[in-house]
């Protein structure tokens, strides 16, 4: 048996599956970047992005990946010698903190472990301890893709307000945007970063930075911002090149236009509800398998889990062998365990992740779960029975 007889499913947490409509939109000759369709479509693309982020404020596009969006956001709000607080629930929270450190910014870590969201009380206490008001921003992942922990952003905003602190709230939605409910303005988020290759279903290559009026004012008080990262001209351009500080990412923009059309014709509420339902099916199957064997969901409390990605533990080497089996035999590529290695399992061979972000529907999820069931059977891994039934019930 091999996956070669049909379409493969790349079920890793980014890059995600690209819809045919996105691929078709990108398959075209090079467009004129000075006049016509491309410059004309920019205002509606920016509006479409703002609608996904649920903000009426500013949206900017960078040619780059999520790491670029991290650096872009920081470059506009902090300078060397400043201090930020980094909420850490996994590899990506740590990653953004490292980017800040690379810019000469001091990071006070708020380590929340790998299985649960940040507590409002802990953030409030950390901010109250900052008597001199040194902390310029709180950096936080909405979803940490390594652990699949989802932070409650409204609670963190409330904690900042309760502490009476002026720090900006900066949120990484690279994994969650277009998957997990996110309300930038209603939740009081000042800066939000995202990228094209996850919930937005476009190839890697675009980073997005959204920001509030308060963040814009902070930028305007900076002595200088590097020309490329500066969000000023990008958010108020007079010509197409200013959106991108150079040549536009022409084909990515066509792909993005197609993906935004798909998202908004489905509707944000429906997109979130779909992800929730599909995630519920995955969790139901995983919980059932776990009743008779070693599989466990990394995040015990369902309300703390992302609906875009699920991190699992199954025991040393089984995780890696299962991934190899499903990829080689079933055309299903699962995500590696990231940031989960410890002394006992330095290569995180006991972990894997299921990416269920963006362009996913019930038959893909049931196919993925059925393939995992087959892999567990082939590897003779003990497991509870009835996992696929449980998943079907969750979808019914
Ligand atoms: C994928 C991801 C990143 C990194 O994005 P790259 O495009 O790989 O640079 C950062 N944060 C989160 C939450 C992610 O899911």
């Amino acid at each position: 048996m091999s996956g070669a007889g049909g379409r493969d499913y790349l079920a890793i947490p980014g890059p995600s599956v690209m819809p045919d409509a996105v691929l078709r939109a990108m398959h075209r000759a090079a467009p004129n970047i000075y006049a016509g369709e491309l410059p004309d479509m920019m205002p509606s693309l920016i509006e479409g992005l703002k609608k996904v982020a649920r903000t009426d404020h500013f949206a900017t596009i960078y040619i780059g990946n999520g790491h670029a969006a991290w650096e872009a956001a920081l470059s506009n709000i902090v300078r060397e010698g400043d201090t930020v607080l980094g909420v850490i629930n996994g590899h990506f929270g740590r990653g953004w903190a490292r980017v800040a450190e690379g810019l000469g910014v001091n990071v006070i870590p708020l380590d929340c472990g790998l299985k649960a969201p940040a507590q409002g009380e802990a953030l409030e206490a950390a901010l109250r301890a900052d008597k001199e008001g040194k902390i310029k921003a709180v950096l936080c992942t909405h979803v940490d893709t390594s652990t699949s922990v989802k932070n409650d952003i409204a609670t963190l905003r409330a904690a900042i307000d309760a502490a009476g602190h002026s720090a900006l709230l900066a949120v990484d939605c690279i994994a969650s945007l277009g998957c997990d409910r996110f309300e930038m303005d209603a939740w009081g988020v000042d800066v939000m970063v995202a990228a094209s290759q996850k919930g937005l279903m476009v190839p890697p290559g675009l980073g997005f930075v959204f920001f509030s009026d308060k963040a814009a004012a902070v930028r305007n008080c900076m002595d200088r911002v590097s020309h490329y990262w500066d969000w000023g001209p990008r958010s108020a351009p007079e010509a197409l090149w200013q959106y991108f500080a150079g040549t536009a990412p022409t084909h990515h923009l066509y792909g993005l236009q197609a993906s935004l059309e798909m998202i908004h014709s489905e509707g944000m509420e429906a997109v979130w509800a779909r992800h929730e339902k599909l995630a519920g099916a995955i969790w139901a199957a995983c919980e059932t398998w776990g009743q008779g064997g070693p599989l466990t969901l990394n995040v015990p409390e369902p309300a703390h889990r992302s609906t875009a990605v699920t991190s699992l533990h199954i025991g040393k080497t089984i995780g890696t062998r299962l991934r190899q089996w499903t990829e080689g035999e079933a055309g299903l590529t699962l995500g590696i365990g990231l940031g989960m290695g410890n002394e006992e399992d330095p290569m995180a061979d006991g972990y894997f992740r299921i990416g269920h972000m963006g362009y996913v529907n019930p038959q893909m999820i049931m196919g993925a779960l059925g393939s995992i069931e087959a892999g567990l059977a082939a590897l003779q891994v003990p497991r509870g029975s009835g996992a696929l039934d449980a998943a079907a019930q969750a979808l019914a």
Side-chain angles (χ1 to χ4, degrees):
M1 192 170 37
S2 107
R7 203 170 260 214
D8 291 343
Y9 175 11
L10 184 68
I12 67 174
S16 64
V17 176
M18 290 178 284
D20 290 342
V22 168
L23 295 173
R24 270 197 306 274
M26 297 179 77
H27 191 99
R28 62 172 71 217
N32 185 0
I33 56 170
Y34 297 105
E37 201 175 50
L38 202 65
D40 291 352
M41 79 189 197
M42 283 310 299
S44 74
L45 273 190
I46 296 293
E47 281 314 303
L49 284 169
K50 283 162 49 171
K51 260 173 80 183
V52 176
R54 307 281 259 201
T55 183
D56 291 331
H57 297 94
F58 304 98
T60 51
I61 307 176
Y62 293 80
I63 298 185
N65 54 18
H67 282 67
W70 275 345
E71 184 150 343
L74 290 169
S75 299
N76 284 278
I77 57 171
V78 283
R79 66 201 97 195
E80 193 171 349
D82 279 351
T83 298
V84 299
L85 187 141
V87 173
I88 297 173
N89 319 78
H91 179 80
F92 291 99
R94 273 195 298 275
W96 202 4
R98 245 179 244 135
V99 170
E101 284 165 355
L103 294 169
V105 171
N106 306 310
V107 180
I108 300 173
L110 182 66
D111 202 323
C112 307
L114 303 177
K115 289 177 172 287
Q119 296 296 307
E121 297 76 21
L123 177 59
E124 186 182 332
L127 292 173
R128 282 190 190 278
D130 178 34
K131 298 262 184 294
E132 294 160 48
K134 280 191 170 162
I135 297 172
K136 294 290 187 305
V138 172
L139 311 183
C140 174
T141 52
H142 182 210
V143 166
D144 196 302
T145 323
S146 61
T147 55
S148 64
V149 169
K150 175 165 66 184
N151 280 304
D152 181 342
I153 300 301
T155 294
L156 299 186
R157 170 83 260 168
I160 298 173
D161 294 345
H165 202 288
S166 64
L168 296 173
L169 176 56
V171 181
D172 170 350
C173 289
I174 297 172
S176 58
L177 195 71
C179 309
D180 290 278
R181 174 181 292 277
F182 178 79
E183 306 268 5
M184 178 157 173
D185 289 355
W187 294 351
V189 173
D190 294 299
V191 178
M192 188 271 274
V193 299
S196 52
Q197 78 273 24
K198 302 196 183 180
L200 297 179
M201 313 176 287
V202 174
L206 301 180
F208 306 101
V209 180
F210 301 82
F211 56 96
S212 67
D213 289 334
K214 183 175 165 190
V218 169
R219 149 70 191 92
N220 291 337
C221 292
M222 298 276 286
D223 328 318
R224 61 188 165 88
V225 173
S226 83
H227 181 74
Y228 187 76
W229 295 131
D230 193 356
W231 68 31
R234 287 173 184 263
S235 59
E238 280 158 22
L240 185 67
W241 72 269
Q242 287 181 313
Y243 279 103
F244 307 103
T247 304
T250 51
H251 287 63
H252 276 74
L253 296 177
Y254 282 109
L256 181 63
Q257 185 186 41
S259 102
L260 290 172
E261 251 169 49
M262 289 175 70
I263 289 172
H264 293 309
S265 66
E266 185 177 359
M268 290 310 299
E269 294 288 342
V271 167
W272 294 327
R274 173 168 52 84
H275 281 86
E276 209 172 301
K277 194 154 200 181
L278 296 174
I282 290 169
W283 303 340
C286 292
E287 272 154 13
T288 308
W289 282 321
Q291 282 159 16
L295 186 74
T296 53
L297 286 130
N298 181 55
V299 181
E301 172 58 47
H304 300 164
R305 294 177 194 152
S306 166
T307 60
V309 53
T310 299
S311 297
L312 297 147
H313 181 248
I314 195 165
K316 200 157 122 186
T317 82
I318 307 176
T320 295
R321 286 188 290 129
L322 179 65
R323 283 191 302 101
Q324 287 166 347
W325 192 93
T326 61
E327 182 164 44
E329 304 299 323
L332 170 72
T333 304
L334 297 166
I336 59 168
L338 194 60
M340 305 302 280
N342 54 29
E343 271 169 37
E344 216 171 280
D345 183 6
M347 302 306 287
D349 276 325
Y351 296 86
F352 67 101
R353 291 174 299 160
I354 305 173
H356 36 101
M357 44 182 50
Y359 194 54
V360 279
N361 65 12
Q363 60 89 8
M364 292 165 75
I365 296 300
M366 290 306 288
L369 294 172
S371 302
I372 293 170
E373 174 88 63
L376 294 171
L379 301 174
Q380 298 180 343
V381 180
R383 63 202 177 281
S385 62
L388 297 181
D389 271 352
Q393 284 303 327
L395 292 173

